[in-house]
């Protein structure tokens, strides 16, 4: 049986002999700021070379973007649920982490970073971490881009470290001039790059790594990028810590290996980027700043271990945003330790920035017909 639908009931049809002349209806104009029709976005792939080219030389801009994203997060304009850790009984040192997130503001994007950490890769001469970032359309939920994300991840880590170094040193009223790096891989190099690009200079640089080859390679990198300064490769973490005013932990440690608070008796500023190097005793003798309380007190991070040991959280002084807003006071009579979890919203913000820039320059590589089954009934 065939059915049809008219726009008015039959009884309402006018008598052609008595009906008034038809009214001329002007065409409807669509306001320029009206909501666009919902459609499936094209899907693009952005490789590591494009990501690196887009971000290179824009360190100050990226630090400002990270700081703006932290403000959005503090204002509740983000969704950043707990990360999910995929672990392997046969490979206990390895893990893959899923960081879902959503951000408002100008970016208005959802997405997921999927990042692996396989420390044994280093012995094979390839990087420990690899990652992709998926960006999802805010309206339809469709993924619209896949970006190589180990560079984005290193960039956001270095940018938040540089931001913290500036914010916390200003809050204490002292600016370190002797820096030390414990762990000398990709993250250490990116942190150093962001510090120097945002106005930091140092009289001395200390280096320590459990791998002599890594320490030597980082020393060579520093020599190639620095004006002549004193660079010292230290045999032990203690030597490096005691001789540094700013200490950067960028290791692959999965449990604390620095246990003596006395090493920090000169009250340095510590960027605890790798998050699991310091024993609870060190944190309990320090001012402790995090980027997000709930995220940092999970997954056996050093702050999480301190919470488990004490049964409380009052050893946390506050978040980086609390310091910026004047709600957390710091002094120079204790070490200041910044332990950032590294929020997924930061990856989203930088990833969307890269996507927008690549699109603006006409270099976006779109995969035609990536979403193929788009009709419910064929």
């Amino acid at each position: 049986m065939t059915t049809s639908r008219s726009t008015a009931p039959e009884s309402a049809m006018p008598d052609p002999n008595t009906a008034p002349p038809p009214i001329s209806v002007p065409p409807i104009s669509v306001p320029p700021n009206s909501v666009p029709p919902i459609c499936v976005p094209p899907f693009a792939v952005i490789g590591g070379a494009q990501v690196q080219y887009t971000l290179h030389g824009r360190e100050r801009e990226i630090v400002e973007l990270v700081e703006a994203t932290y403000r959005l997060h503090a204002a509740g304009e983000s969704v950043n649920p707990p990360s999910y850790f995929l672990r392997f009984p046969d490979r206990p040192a390895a893990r893959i982490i899923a960081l879902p997130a959503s951000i408002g503001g100008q970016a208005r994007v959802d997405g997921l970073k999927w990042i692996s950490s396989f420390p044994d890769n280093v012995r094979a001469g390839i990087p420990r971490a690899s990652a992709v970032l998926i960006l999802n359309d805010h309206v339809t939920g469709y993924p619209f881009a896949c970006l190589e994300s180990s560079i984005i991840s290193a960039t956001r880590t270095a940018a938040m470290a540089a931001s913290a170094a500036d914010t916390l040193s200003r809050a204490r009223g002292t600016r370190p001039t002797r820096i030390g790096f414990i762990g000398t891989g990709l993250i250490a190099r990116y942190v150093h790059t962001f510090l120097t690009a945002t106005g930091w200079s140092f009289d001395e640089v200390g280096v320590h790594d459990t791998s002599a080859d890594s320490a030597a390679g980082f020393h060579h990198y520093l020599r190639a990028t620095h004006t002549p300064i004193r660079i010292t490769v230290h045999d032990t973490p203690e030597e490096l810590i005691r001789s540094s005013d700013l200490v950067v932990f960028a290791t692959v440690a999965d449990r604390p290996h620095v246990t003596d608070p006395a090493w920090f008796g000169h009250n340095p500023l510590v960027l605890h980027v790798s998050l699991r190097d310091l024993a609870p005793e060190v944190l309990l003798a320090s001012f402790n700043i995090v980027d997000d309380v709930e995220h940092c007190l999970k997954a056996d991070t050093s702050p999480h271990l301190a919470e488990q040991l004490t049964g409380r959280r009052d050893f946390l002084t506050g978040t980086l945003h609390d310091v910026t807003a004047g709600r957390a006071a710091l002094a120079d009579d204790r070490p200041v330790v910044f332990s950032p979890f590294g929020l997924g919203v930061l990856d989203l913000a930088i990833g969307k920035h890269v996507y927008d820039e690549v699109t603006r320059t006409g270099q976006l590589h779109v995969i035609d017909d990536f979403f193929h089954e788009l009709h419910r009934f064929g």
Side-chain angles (χ1 to χ4, degrees):
M1 180 175 70
T2 303
T3 62
S4 62
R5 182 167 63 94
S6 65
T7 59
E10 193 171 347
S11 60
M13 294 295 290
D15 185 333
N17 297 319
T18 60
I23 299 173
S24 177
V25 180
I28 298 174
S29 61
V30 179
N33 61 346
S34 62
V35 177
I38 295 177
C39 59
V40 175
F43 186 80
V45 173
I46 301 177
Q50 279 187 301
V51 171
Q52 188 173 60
Y53 178 81
T54 303
L55 295 176
H56 179 70
R58 297 186 175 183
E59 288 84 4
R60 290 184 181 273
E61 182 180 352
I62 298 304
V63 169
E64 291 173 0
L65 176 60
V66 163
E67 291 173 345
T69 304
Y70 271 137
R71 290 194 294 271
L72 282 175
H73 180 67
E77 294 193 45
S78 67
V79 181
N80 208 113
S83 302
Y84 181 82
F85 286 71
L86 177 61
R87 299 187 182 276
F88 313 97
D90 61 326
R91 292 158 288 166
R95 63 183 186 267
I96 308 179
I97 312 172
L99 289 85
S102 175
I103 186 171
Q106 292 184 343
R108 272 176 55 89
V109 67
D110 313 321
L112 172 79
K113 181 172 75 169
W114 182 238
I115 181 166
S116 67
S117 174
F118 279 54
D120 288 347
N121 287 353
V122 176
R123 290 201 294 269
I126 62 175
R128 168 188 61 87
S130 58
V132 294
L133 177 69
I134 301 295
L135 302 181
N136 291 74
D137 179 59
H138 190 79
V139 175
T140 66
Y142 269 81
F144 64 86
C146 176
L147 296 83
E148 196 284 333
S149 198
S150 64
I151 295 170
I152 291 173
S153 188
T155 296
R156 68 97 154 119
T157 299
M160 70 185 182
S163 175
D166 184 62
T167 299
L168 299 177
S169 61
R170 281 190 287 108
R172 290 214 298 179
T174 59
R175 192 169 178 88
T177 60
R178 301 178 301 164
I179 189 171
F181 290 89
I182 297 181
T184 56
L186 178 74
I187 298 301
R189 173 162 60 85
Y190 268 73
V191 170
H192 176 264
T193 297
F194 267 76
L195 287 172
T196 55
T198 53
W200 286 82
S201 60
F202 303 99
D203 299 329
E204 300 178 24
V205 180
V207 174
H208 172 75
D209 198 291
T210 55
S211 165
D213 289 341
S214 292
F218 193 63
H219 181 277
H220 178 75
Y221 155 77
L222 291 171
R223 281 291 181 212
T225 58
H226 252 306
T227 54
I229 60 170
R230 181 181 177 184
I231 302 173
T232 304
V233 177
H234 294 277
D235 294 330
T236 67
E238 179 182 2
E239 289 179 4
L240 182 142
I241 292 167
R242 288 185 181 276
S243 63
S244 302
D245 305 317
L246 175 60
V247 182
V248 179
F249 283 93
T251 74
V252 295
D254 59 357
R255 61 180 59 88
H257 58 96
V258 174
T259 60
D260 191 347
W263 296 0
F264 301 84
H266 57 301
N267 302 325
L269 172 58
V270 180
L271 302 180
H272 187 207
V273 173
S274 37
L275 207 56
R276 293 176 175 83
D277 302 88
L278 302 178
E281 291 77 10
V282 175
L283 298 189
L284 296 177
S286 305
F287 292 106
N288 291 284
I289 303 298
V290 296
D291 57 349
D292 183 278
V293 172
E294 295 301 327
H295 282 78
C296 287
L297 295 179
K298 285 184 173 66
D300 290 334
T301 64
S302 293
H304 189 203
L305 295 180
E307 181 191 34
Q308 292 173 344
L309 178 66
T310 63
R312 53 188 173 82
R313 296 182 170 188
D314 59 3
F315 63 90
L316 294 179
T317 309
T319 66
L320 193 60
H321 184 72
D322 290 332
V323 176
T324 303
R327 294 190 296 266
L330 303 176
D332 59 3
D333 60 343
R334 277 188 279 166
V336 174
V337 179
F338 176 57
S339 299
F341 191 84
L343 303 177
V345 290
L346 302 181
D347 298 277
L348 275 188
I350 295 175
K352 183 59 162 52
H353 171 79
V354 170
Y355 176 87
D356 290 343
E357 283 297 300
V358 172
T359 301
R360 183 184 63 82
T361 58
Q363 302 299 313
L364 193 66
H365 178 56
V366 173
I367 308 299
D368 293 327
D369 201 30
F370 184 84
F371 296 108
H372 182 66
E373 276 285 5
L374 298 176
H375 301 283
R376 294 183 66 188
F377 304 111

